[in-house]
């Protein structure tokens, strides 16, 4: 069974997104937080030795 690790980020540049992708992170969702007027991006990648 694949184990996953997750991270969240906000306010990323194209270079930041490319760096996350190069590190194996995959964008899985975006959520707009109206309280803070920011879009939060959710990423996942296989954990530890699964990469």
């Amino acid at each position: 069974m694949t184990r996953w690790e997750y991270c969240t980020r906000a306010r990323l540049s194209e270079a930041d997104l490319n760096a996350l992708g190069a590190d194996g992170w995959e964008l899985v969702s975006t959520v707009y937080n109206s309280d803070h007027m920011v879009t939060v991006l959710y990423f996942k990648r296989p954990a530890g030795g699964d990469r």
Side-chain angles (χ1 to χ4, degrees), residues 4-23:
W4 300 98
E5 61 180 327
Y6 302 91
C7 76
T8 59
R9 298 286 188 270
R11 297 183 182 102
L12 294 175
S13 68
E14 184 176 341
D16 294 330
L17 289 170
N18 286 329
L20 284 167
D23 286 341

Side-chain angles (χ1 to χ4, degrees), residues 30-48:
T30 60
V31 176
Y32 180 69
N33 182 325
S34 59
D35 292 338
H36 299 286
M37 298 180 67
V38 65
T39 299
V40 179
L41 292 81
Y42 292 83
F43 297 86
K44 73 174 186 177
R45 69 178 176 187

